[in-house]
């Protein structure tokens, strides 16, 4: 079964709402089950009739009976033409859940609900949270009647999905799509593609590492690293273009080429009720100038919190021993003393674990700030009063990514562009990856398993409590279990991977081994995310999508920015440029190990800047050519799409001819209309 769970909030209206929704769902031919009356849990499932009727409206493509591999839009009238149409598995799990969700969202507010709402908090026509014929589910959320509306997990299916996931190196994308729908499946498809695409830079980076070790070079003075940086700049652009093509292949295969996130009205949107110029129905309206004023205030709040993050970053860098010059504005002697030579956090100390403690503190501070700002960003975005889910999500993504990217990259940018020390950038990246490895082991692997054990015990105790209080045994234990779970946050999974994509591309010349390590991290991440999605979180509502959405633009921006960061690291933050243009540089100092510090020779500033500018333009042009000259849609998909359109057009022509014959037969004394005459008798030009 692919049921939807409606969890009603505690209150006097709970029993009334259960009865009301039960009658509404039964009137729509849905199968209804009260899982727990005392907990306000109602399970709803679309009937077979609903599935077939809605599948016709949605134009779901299903396989034909006698034509292998051919699929057509499903129609109830011609259902017998489709393969295994009477089978329980004719509709995929995600299709059943999606159709049930569509049916629930098709319910409109009626007089009976308005009467019920007036008894439990609704203040009448002046209360714009509810109005006649508005979306019933959204109205219930606005009034606080509904806590959640989400599909219920299939016990056997998620166990099968988990077994397949943990036994395979890459994720079974098709299984994820069949169960969760395209929205979730695209994350796993992207993770698979990203991991495989990392193999080439991982091998090249490993080769660079071996060469550097054998020659006694570091990333500061290696003549090989600049070539790796160029390779990674083009790799990042090519990755994005190849992913876009692969994404369109999936979209064609999954019949979502024309799909995008629906611009549905947000439950929290507030405004003055005015007639819609399109439908004529009352719709809430909110002036754009007020929202722009709120954007400005949101920017101010975000800026203030970013200033706090910047100060904390400087404190962390002092504690890690990166800022040592007493004449620096950012030098804090009370913290820097702990990383001095011979002190507890001395970066050159023998105990590596002690040297990692400041990095642990840094990561913990970042995670804490991110959690704080997450709540701030959600409140600010809610306060901005976006009308649609899409605009609300875009605004939230922009805030959270900008803040968390700042938190993650600001230390690296400071070391690269202010301190101009590529060795410090490398050390910071190594520390971040090391600490992140330990964090993943705890939070991504062990913690979800522990939560699952604790969660199972809580559900069993809850069942016993319900039996003892009212003698009520929940009829659907899966519904009771899912009602206690947290909602799945797809945003956090994407954000983590996108931040690390920036480490790999924007700081390639500082840490060539990052791609190799990232492959290992991705493999662990896929397993931990799979467990979390199957056992720790609620089953997310189905979203029919044609890609990874706004994240593509973020990744593309990072790939473009990598041109600038890697060129600056090459020219100003290391001695890499001096290995190829020695006449532009002078030796400033030689330490006891024979390592040389170089500076730009007097009068050579313009030449260095010119070389950097030319290199930046060449790389930028190459990235632009990759983005511009490679098509987003593979030729095979383009041809198949045009073929599908042509076949559809031919079927339409055939249907028109049949209609002309029917008209000719039904009208006394008439003859079959010529092909250039419409049914109305008008001659076509």
């Amino acid at each position: 079964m692919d049921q939807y769970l409606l969890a009603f909030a505690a209150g006097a209206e709970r029993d009334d709402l259960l009865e009301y929704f039960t009658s509404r769902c039964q009137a729509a031919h849905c199968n209804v089950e009260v899982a727990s009356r005392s907990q306000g849990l109602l399970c709803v499932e679309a009937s077979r009739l609903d599935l077939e009727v809605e599948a016709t409206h949605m134009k779901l493509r299903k396989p034909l009976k006698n034509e292998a591999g051919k699929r057509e839009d499903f129609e109830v009238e011609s259902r017998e033409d489709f393969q295994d149409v009477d089978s329980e598995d004719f509709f995929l799990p995600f299709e059943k859940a999606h159709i049930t969700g569509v049916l629930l969202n098709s319910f409109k507010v009626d007089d009976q609900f308005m009467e019920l709402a007036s008894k439990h908090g609704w203040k009448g026509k002046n209360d714009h949270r509810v109005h006649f014929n508005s979306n019933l589910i959204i109205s219930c959320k606005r009034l606080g009647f509904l806590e959640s509306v989400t599909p219920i997990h299939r016990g056997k299916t998620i166990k099968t999905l988990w077994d397949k996931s943990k036994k395979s190196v890459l994720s079974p994308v098709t299984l994820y799509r069949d169960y969760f729908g395209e929205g979730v499946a695209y994350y796993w498809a992207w993770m698979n593609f990203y991991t495989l695409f990392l193999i080439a830079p991982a091998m090249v980076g490993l080769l660079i590492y071996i060469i550097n070790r054998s020659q006694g070079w570091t990333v500061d003075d290696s003549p090989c690293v600049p070539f790796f940086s160029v390779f990674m700049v083009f790799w990042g652009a090519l990755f994005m273009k190849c992913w876009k093509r692969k994404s369109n292949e999936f979209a064609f295969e999954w019949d979502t080429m024309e799909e995008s996130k629906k611009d549905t009205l947000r439950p929290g949107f507030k405004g003055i009720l005015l007639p819609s110029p399109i439908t004529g129905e009352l719709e809430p309206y909110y002036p754009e100038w007020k929202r722009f004023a709120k954007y400005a205030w949101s920017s101010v709040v975000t800026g203030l919190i970013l200033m706090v993050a910047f100060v904390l970053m400087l404190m962390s860098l002092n504690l890690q021993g990166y800022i040592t010059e007493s004449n620096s504005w950012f030098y804090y002697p009370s913290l820097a003393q702990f990383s001095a030579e011979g002190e507890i956090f001395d970066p050159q100390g023998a105990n590596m674990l002690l040297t990692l403690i400041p990095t642990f503190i840094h990561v913990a501070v970042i995670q804490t700030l991110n959690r704080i700002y997450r709540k701030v960003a959600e409140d600010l975005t809610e306060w901005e009063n976006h009308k649609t889910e899409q605009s609300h999500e875009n605004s939230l993504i922009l805030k959270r990514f900008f803040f968390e990217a700042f938190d993650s990259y600001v230390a690296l940018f400071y070391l690269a562009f202010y301190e101009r020390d590529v060795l410090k950038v490398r050390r910071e990246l190594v520390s971040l990856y090391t600490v992140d490895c330990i964090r993943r082991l705890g939070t991504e692997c062990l913690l979800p398993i522990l939560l699952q054990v604790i969660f199972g015990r809580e559900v069993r105790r809850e069942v016993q409590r319900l039996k003892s209080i009212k003698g009520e045994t929940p009829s659907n234990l899966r519904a009771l279990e899912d009602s206690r779970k947290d909602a799945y946050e797809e945003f956090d999974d994407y954000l983590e991977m996108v931040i690390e994509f920036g480490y790999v591309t924007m700081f390639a010349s500082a840490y060539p081994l990052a791609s190799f390590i990232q492959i290992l991290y991705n493999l662990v991440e896929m397993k931990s995310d799979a467990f979390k999605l199957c056992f720790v979180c609620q089953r997310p509502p189905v979203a029919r999508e044609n890609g990874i959405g706004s994240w593509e633009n973020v990744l593309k921006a990072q790939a473009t920015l990598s041109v600038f960061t890697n060129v600056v690291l090459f020219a100003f933050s290391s001695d890499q440029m001096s290995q190829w243009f020695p006449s532009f540089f002078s030796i400033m100092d030689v330490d006891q190990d024979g390592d040389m510090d170089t500076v730009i020779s007097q009068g050579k500033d313009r030449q260095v800047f010119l070389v950097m500018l030319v290199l930046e333009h060449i790389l930028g042009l190459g990235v632009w050519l990759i983005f511009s000259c490679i098509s987003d849609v593979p030729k095979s998909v383009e041809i198949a799409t045009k073929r599908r359109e042509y076949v559809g057009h031919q079927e339409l022509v055939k249907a028109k001819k049949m209609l002309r014959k029917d008209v000719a037969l039904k009208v006394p004394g008439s003859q079959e209309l010529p092909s250039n005459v419409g049914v109305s008798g008008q001659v076509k030009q």
Side-chain angles (χ1 to χ4, degrees), residues 51 65 154 175 268 276 319 518 531:
L51 290 174
K65 184 180 295 183
R154 282 183 168 195
L175 294 181
S276 168
L319 199 60
Q518 192 61 50
F531 185 87

Side-chain angles (χ1 to χ4, degrees), residues 48-111:
R48 182 67 187 206
L49 175 62
D50 289 329
L51 290 174
E52 295 192 7
V53 171
E54 288 300 322
T56 302
H57 293 162
M58 295 178 182
K59 297 184 178 180
L60 288 182
R61 296 178 67 84
K62 307 301 289 184
L64 293 174
K65 184 180 295 183
N66 298 319
E67 300 183 54
K70 187 175 182 181
R71 299 192 304 163
E72 294 290 345
D73 294 345
F74 180 80
E75 294 182 358
V76 176
E77 293 80 2
S78 56
R79 64 187 305 276
E80 298 301 328
D81 296 338
F82 293 88
Q83 184 178 345
D84 300 325
V85 68
D86 293 317
S87 169
E88 181 65 26
D89 298 325
F90 178 71
F91 291 105
L92 296 172
F94 90 89
E95 291 173 336
K96 295 178 182 178
H98 182 50
I99 289 173
T100 302
V102 169
L103 284 172
L104 287 173
N105 278 289
S106 69
F107 292 167
K108 301 295 183 181
V109 169
D110 58 9
D111 291 330

